[in-house]
Amino acid sequence: MSTPGHPQPRPPEGRTPRSRSRSGLALLAGVGIVALYLAGAAVSGRASILARRPLLDGLAPPTPYRWVSPPPDLAASNKPPASTRFTLELAPEGSQLGAFSTGDGQVNLVLSQGAVPPRSGQTGVEVTVDPVDPATLGPVPSGLVGAGNAYHIQAGYQPSGAKVAALGGQPSSGLVYPC
């Protein structure tokens, strides 16, 4: 309430008591979120700060590795690794972009657009991924250690079946190995 000759104080330009309460509420919410994050990070740790895992890293353990030729102590519970076949459509500029995985997720393959050049009379490219026992491929080079399966990846034009000699572009493959 103001008295004659003494006007009521006004809030700074653009700021009302209501906007101050909203900004205070936003600040309080932000501090609360940060506190919850830090509490979650502290709870997710183990014995030391170096043994902490990131939040949202997943709750389930990794799936067991599937061996072509498992070590004797894992043979009873081993499941065979998956193979896959997929077909890429051929366009006038070559094969289409494609990303594929085996059913067990142990091999991921990404082929860029045009990875396989066009060929007259051919409509597609069939790519196969098959697991191979690495022991059948010869000794591992000196200084290296073999871990897990080997995979045979090949491509052939369809319908002729003629083999694709090499992939162009920037093909990418990811192989999972046993832990």
Side-chain angles (χ1 to χ4, degrees):
M1 187 164 8
S2 65
T3 56
H6 297 293
Q8 188 171 357
R10 296 181 53 111
E13 195 63 35
R15 303 261 317 188
T16 64
R18 187 176 205 161
S19 68
R20 277 190 296 243
S21 69
R22 284 184 183 159
S23 64
L25 185 59
L27 177 64
L28 184 61
V31 169
I33 290 170
V34 168
L36 284 173
Y37 176 82
L38 292 175
V43 169
S44 72
R46 291 190 207 141
S48 77
I49 197 161
L50 298 176
R52 296 181 194 274
R53 295 179 62 181
L55 290 176
L56 306 174
D57 198 27
L59 300 175
T63 57
Y65 190 79
R66 295 178 169 207
W67 299 82
V68 172
S69 181
D73 57 330
L74 299 175
S77 62
N78 186 61
K79 293 181 180 177
S83 296
T84 192
R85 290 190 185 317
F86 54 89
T87 302
L88 295 170
E89 186 179 316
L90 269 182
E93 57 279 344
S95 62
Q96 297 298 308
L97 173 69
F100 308 93
S101 296
T102 55
D104 56 13
Q106 289 188 185
V107 177
N108 300 296
L109 184 61
V110 179
L111 300 177
S112 58
Q113 180 135 3
V116 178
R119 184 177 264 193
S120 179
Q122 304 305 299
T123 59
V125 177
E126 183 179 70
V127 179
T128 60
V129 179
D130 295 307
V132 176
D133 183 353
T136 64
L137 302 176
V140 176
S142 177
L144 299 177
V145 175
N149 303 325
Y151 285 86
H152 185 232
I153 301 172
Q154 63 183 0
Y157 286 100
Q158 294 298 312
S160 73
K163 299 293 179 212
V164 174
L167 298 172
Q170 295 179 332
S172 172
S173 64
L175 303 175
V176 173
Y177 57 90
C179 296

